[in-house]
Each structure stands twice: as structure tokens, then as C-alpha cells.
Amino acid sequence: MKDMLKDKVALVTGASRGIGKAIALALAENGAAVAVNYSSSEASAVEVAELIRKNDGKAEIFKARVNVEPEVEEMFSGVEKSLGPVDILVNNAGITKDNLLMRMKTEEWDSVIDVNLKGAFLCTRRAVKSMMKNRYGKIINISSVVGFAGNAGQFNYSAAKAGIIGMTKSAALECASRGIRVNAVAPGFIETDMTASLSDDVKAAYMEKIPLKSLGSPEDIANAAVYLASPLSDYMTGQTLHLNGGMYL
């Protein structure tokens, strides 16, 4: 099964660290050529690409801010020239600017919506162009448990991640006739740089809400992404896989 993505080209946004990195490595391990997108951490993106190449995989890095349309266009053009048309798109890039609603600045709202939601829109719209010509494509959107359950202090992030679900369903309906499947993954609390900054008390409080009593790993999300990218999920579209240890049922 390690070659089930052979001859496929995957673009993973925000792939220099955390969940994006794990997804990029897992897709490459299963045979895909991977375009590693980053916006600022070039050294980390280079490291991801080198890890893929050391395991006899194929990877290139591409700098682009996913919420800036000309940069998205340049990135896709670069991927097409160096690796080929994008068969698999993983919309993973995202930021957080947490604050309580009454204290949230308009800039904190705008920037999170702009990157997390507009970025996924721009990349999806561009990817669909070539996917429709080829009558094949897999689009995987990374949402979050807070897009379903909400979370105090994450008014902007929760709204963006809920928006991702609506976008996933609409894109699935529009693109199904062209052989394009669009699905989402909604992680719970995952051990990444974002959660590493939380205090022990906050982590303990979250753990009380998780029936499995543990945080997830980036690899848990990567495994789901591989499934959605592979032929194993060909009869699935417009769906969301919830990986949260049981905290949202």
C-alpha cells in the first residue's frame, strides 16, 4: 500500500511544521510527489523536503502566503512546472490570534479569517481548474473541533474553521461530476507548537474533556489525510473525519 499515491502530486499548505509537516511526510511515504508550502519558515520547509528526499521521495518547497492571490497563482504555476498538475490539495495553513469576543480587535478577526478561510478558498479555486481538466482530484481541508463545538477565546478561529466545513460541502457538490472529492478533517487538541504554549493547568482542563485522556499527534491527522487522498476513500465526498479522542461526539 506504500505506493497507493504513486504518480500523484500533492500540495500541502503550511507544511513546514506541525500537522502540515506530518501530512507532507505521510503523503510522500505513500508515493506522492509533495510540494511543501511555507510563508516564512524557509529552513523548516527545506528540512521537510530533505526528509522526503532522504526516503527516496520527491519534494520541492514553495513560498507563498495563501491569502495573497498573486502568490497563490505563482505557487501553483511553479508546482505545475516542477512536479506536474496538483492531484491532491491539503488546505492546512492557518494562524491563531486568540482573544475573548469583547476584547478582540478587528485586526485579529480579519487576519484569522483572511489566512484560514480566504486562503483555503484561493487555493481550492486554483486547484480545481486543473483538476476539472483531468477529471480527478482530492481536496482535503483541515478544520477543527472548535468549528463544531466552539471555544471561548477563539471567536475568530472557530468561525473560520466552521466556514471551512461549509466550503467543503459546497465544493463537494459542485465538483463531484468532474471526479473531484472534497473532504475535511477536524482535529481535536493535537500536540503541536500551538498547544505547546498552553499552561499545564489549561492542558489538564482540556484533558478532562477528552474521553481517551490524551492529546492527539500530528501523525494521527496525517493518517486520516492519507486515507482521504487515496483510492480507499473514492466513494466519500463532502464529509468530515473527527479526530478528537471523543471530546466531540
Side-chain angles (χ1 to χ4, degrees):
M1 298 297 286
K2 291 297 183 182
D3 291 329
M4 63 183 171
L5 300 180
K6 185 180 179 182
D7 299 325
K8 301 300 183 187
V9 174
L11 168 58
V12 183
T13 67
S16 63
R17 61 192 177 93
I19 290 173
K21 175 182 178 179
I23 291 173
L25 294 175
L27 293 176
E29 185 179 351
N30 284 274
V34 179
V36 178
N37 162 256
Y38 71 100
S39 62
S40 59
S41 305
E42 181 175 1
S44 297
V46 169
E47 180 184 345
V48 174
E50 288 179 347
L51 284 172
I52 291 172
R53 292 173 191 140
K54 284 180 181 177
N55 288 316
D56 299 322
K58 189 174 184 180
E60 299 290 344
I61 67 170
F62 296 89
K63 182 177 182 179
R65 291 171 294 177
V66 295
N67 58 320
V68 180
E69 189 170 350
E71 294 185 20
V72 169
E73 177 60 40
E74 184 177 355
M75 173 175 65
F76 272 86
S77 296
V79 174
E80 290 165 354
K81 289 177 183 177
S82 61
L83 298 175
V86 174
D87 302 296
I88 301 161
L89 169 66
V90 182
N91 285 310
N92 167 74
I95 62 171
T96 57
K97 288 186 181 293
D98 297 347
N99 216 336
L100 294 174
L101 170 59
M102 294 302 293
R103 297 175 183 172
M104 183 168 288
K105 298 176 183 177
T106 302
E107 181 278 331
E108 292 172 330
W109 166 269
D110 287 344
S111 59
V112 169
I113 296 298
D114 204 41
V115 173
N116 296 17
L117 193 55
K118 180 184 176 183
F121 157 66
L122 290 176
C123 290
T124 298
R125 186 179 64 179
R126 179 57 178 80
V128 163
K129 287 183 179 180
S130 60
M131 289 179 177
M132 283 192 169
K133 291 179 182 177
N134 296 330
R135 305 191 71 83
Y136 176 86
K138 294 291 187 86
I139 298 174
I140 302 161
N141 296 320
I142 305 303
S143 181
S144 169
V145 64
V146 304
F148 291 85
N151 193 35
Q154 289 194 310
F155 191 76
N156 48 5
Y157 189 74
S158 298
K161 292 303 186 180
I164 287 287
I165 299 305
M167 190 177 72
T168 298
K169 292 176 181 292
S170 296
L173 289 171
E174 288 189 24
C175 300
S177 64
R178 296 299 183 94
I180 302 169
R181 285 82 167 172
V182 189
N183 293 290
V185 179
F189 287 91
I190 308 299
E191 291 184 289
T192 64
D193 292 344
M194 284 187 180
T195 55
S197 61
L198 299 175
S199 68
D200 290 340
D201 289 342
V202 171
K203 287 182 180 179
Y206 281 134
M207 206 72 75
E208 285 299 313
K209 300 177 182 178
I210 304 173
L212 289 182
K213 300 303 178 187
S214 66
L215 298 181
S217 71
E219 289 70 29
D220 291 325
I221 312 307
N223 290 336
V226 169
Y227 167 69
L228 291 176
S230 77
L232 297 175
S233 64
D234 277 355
Y235 198 55
M236 177 186 290
T237 195
Q239 305 303 309
T240 300
L241 294 181
H242 293 270
L243 284 80
N244 55 47
M247 70 175 293
Y248 177 83
L249 301 174

